Amino acid sequence: AQRVTQPEKLLSVFKGAPVELKCNYSYSGSPELFWYVQYSRQRLQLLLRHISRESIKGFTADLNKGETSFHLKKPFAQEEDSAMYYCALQPDSWGKLQFGAGTQVVVTP
Amino acid sequence: GAGVSQSPRYKVAKRGQDVALRCDPISGHVSLFWYQQALGQGPEFLTYFQNEAQLDKSGLPSDRFFAERPEGSVSTLKIQRTQQEDSAVYLCASSSPKSGSWDEQFFGPGTRLTVL
């Protein structure tokens, strides 16, 4: 069965410090991986997806098929990065998203 | 343009009542998804529509849950005889998948259902 694991419920970092959110998945095929973000009082929105190979708001994520991981990284955290982050797996191009439980990031000045 | 909208934003129901939650997707979006998000958890898939066809309802937790999208635009999620465990935020998302592409799902603000 497919599964997405985010081991950290809460990550507290200082402004300017690096931040890494862990995401591990289990799936027998080749899924697409996403990171979604939810800022305070806002709706869930796409941050980045593996297939685009983009860097959004300074965040990058590398797919490691050997370790089945898709960790999200940013070298210098900003206060506006404080939010809830969800890793998600999509097995089919049209299909449902399987989300992890989320990691709350708090960036303190 | 307008994003995905949902109504009501908040709903309080007494145990045993029926509720109906509405989703207005982005105009022209073919695909529509419903998710349930319990407190402290990530969203969990409930059901998926492509136009008016319900192609996947594997996530519906019981036969008390029913969804429809009769004209391929607005969708309604109905929960009959609500139970306390139905308390959650119900999210709707829409997308316009192109053949062979992985398209972004756009989420609504959610409906927070509290069953007393």
Side-chain angles (χ1 to χ4, degrees):
Chain A
Q2 59 202 47
R3 186 181 181 89
V4 178
T5 303
Q6 293 180 251
E8 304 125 337
K9 289 194 87 67
L10 173 66
L11 212 51
S12 184
V13 298
F14 286 107
K15 178 182 173 181
V19 59
E20 180 180 33
L21 288 74
K22 291 185 169 43
C23 172
N24 289 86
Y25 67 93
S26 60
Y27 184 69
S28 56
S30 295
E32 179 56 17
L33 278 299
F34 300 82
W35 278 96
Y36 275 79
V37 61
Q38 188 166 25
Y39 301 102
S40 180
R41 295 190 181 84
Q42 293 187 27
R43 60 187 67 190
L44 197 59
Q45 59 187 280
L46 178 67
L47 178 62
L48 57 80
R49 69 188 98 176
H50 167 250
I51 199 170
S52 299
R53 304 285 200 277
E54 295 169 310
S55 172
I56 305 293
K57 298 184 179 183
F59 283 97
T60 59
D62 292 319
L63 178 62
N64 185 322
K65 291 187 178 180
E67 296 181 359
T68 59
S69 68
F70 189 57
H71 304 328
L72 183 69
K73 301 177 185 179
K74 184 169 182 177
F76 307 104
Q78 302 300 312
E79 289 180 70
E80 55 265 30
D81 297 328
S82 296
M84 192 74 176
Y85 292 80
Y86 294 96
C87 182
L89 173 161
Q90 189 175 41
D92 302 294
S93 62
W94 52 263
K96 60 193 176 190
L97 290 167
Q98 173 88 30
F99 287 90
T103 297
Q104 178 75 49
V105 172
V106 176
V107 181
T108 52
Chain B
V4 178
S5 60
Q6 293 186 245
S7 61
R9 292 293 313 279
Y10 303 90
K11 177 69 180 177
V12 178
K14 292 183 179 177
R15 189 163 58 93
Q17 277 186 331
D18 297 349
V19 298
L21 313 180
R22 177 187 168 107
C23 172
D24 282 85
I26 293 172
S27 178
H29 275 192
V30 167
S31 298
L32 186 146
F33 301 82
W34 283 99
Y35 294 87
Q36 180 191 57
Q37 186 172 20
L39 190 64
Q41 300 297 319
E44 293 208 1
F45 170 78
L46 293 176
T47 187
Y48 161 66
F49 290 86
Q50 189 173 76
N51 295 305
E52 68 279 3
Q54 189 175 20
L55 298 186
D56 187 346
K57 52 181 181 179
S58 61
L60 296 176
S62 78
D63 58 8
R64 297 186 295 103
F65 286 71
F66 172 76
E68 60 183 4
R69 194 187 185 197
E71 297 177 0
S73 55
V74 171
S75 177
T76 304
L77 176 67
K78 297 178 179 177
I79 309 173
Q80 297 177 322
R81 304 181 303 281
T82 52
Q83 304 294 313
Q84 283 191 321
E85 61 262 28
D86 300 336
S87 295
V89 175
Y90 291 84
L91 297 170
C92 176
S94 71
S95 70
S96 183
K98 304 173 187 61
S99 176
S101 70
W102 305 83
D103 276 288
E104 176 181 356
Q105 291 184 23
F106 293 86
F107 282 81
T111 294
R112 181 177 296 277
L113 173 65
T114 303
V115 182
L116 303 176

